[in-house]
Amino acid sequence: METVIATIALTFTPLMLTVVVHYEALSGLSKVLQKSTIQSHPKVLVVVFGVITAHFVEIAIYALAYWIADTGLNIGDFGGNRAVNFADYLFFSAETFSTLGIGDIFPLGMMRLIASLESLNGIVLIGWSTSFTYLSMSRYWAGNSLE
């Protein structure tokens, strides 16, 4: 029962944390861009690099969760090319968050729940970023040609 509780906590903590990080990143970008004196078109680049940075932070949060689950709480393991360092957890998290799922390493046991919800979370946050980028382009390129 303790393993189930630890897994649920370790699943929903990064999920909630990444949603808050994403919200704050997009909110911060909006505020910075509204006050910025840079021209309109380069603002779109700020948006794109900003959301990519936010996604990297979110992926790192999940990588930390996998590291804690594997080495700290021992609630699962990895099969395949065994994750041996934080870079492996980061790589697995990136392919899971983006739903790429190459599969050279894969979670076993209770860690499968974390990976399953990370994919769902990634789809939602990437969609949110896409919408935000589209709205930013509409705002900062309004009335201008797309040349």
Side-chain angles (χ1 to χ4, degrees):
M1 184 65 172
E2 291 175 13
T3 303
V4 173
I5 293 170
T7 303
I8 290 171
L10 203 53
T11 299
F12 285 98
T13 300
L15 191 145
M16 291 184 294
L17 187 57
T18 56
V19 169
V20 171
V21 164
H22 207 74
Y23 174 85
E24 290 298 331
L26 298 185
S27 177
L29 278 170
S30 290
K31 290 174 187 172
V32 165
L33 292 173
Q34 286 174 359
K35 295 177 183 179
S36 175
T37 58
I38 62 174
Q39 295 178 343
S40 292
H41 287 194
K43 287 182 179 181
V44 175
L45 292 174
V46 172
V47 168
V48 171
F49 290 124
V51 297
I52 289 171
T53 301
H55 287 300
F56 182 79
V57 170
E58 293 152 9
I59 287 166
I61 289 169
Y62 272 101
L64 182 61
Y66 292 121
W67 177 74
I68 291 169
D70 189 23
T71 62
L73 299 176
N74 199 26
I75 60 172
D77 204 352
F78 279 98
N81 293 331
R82 175 72 174 95
V84 293
N85 60 42
F86 192 75
D88 294 317
Y89 298 113
L90 193 60
F91 177 75
F92 175 76
S93 180
E95 64 183 9
T96 303
F97 187 89
S98 66
T99 70
L100 177 62
I102 293 172
D104 58 337
I105 60 174
F106 50 90
L108 300 169
M110 297 298 285
M111 287 195 331
R112 293 176 300 168
L113 181 61
I114 301 169
S116 298
L117 287 181
E118 181 184 7
S119 294
L120 175 62
N121 190 8
I123 289 171
V124 170
L125 297 182
I126 290 168
W128 192 359
S129 293
T130 303
S131 174
F132 183 82
T133 302
Y134 173 80
L135 291 173
S136 296
M137 287 186 71
S138 296
R139 180 178 195 174
Y140 298 122
W141 275 358
N144 296 321
S145 69
L146 296 177
E147 298 176 10

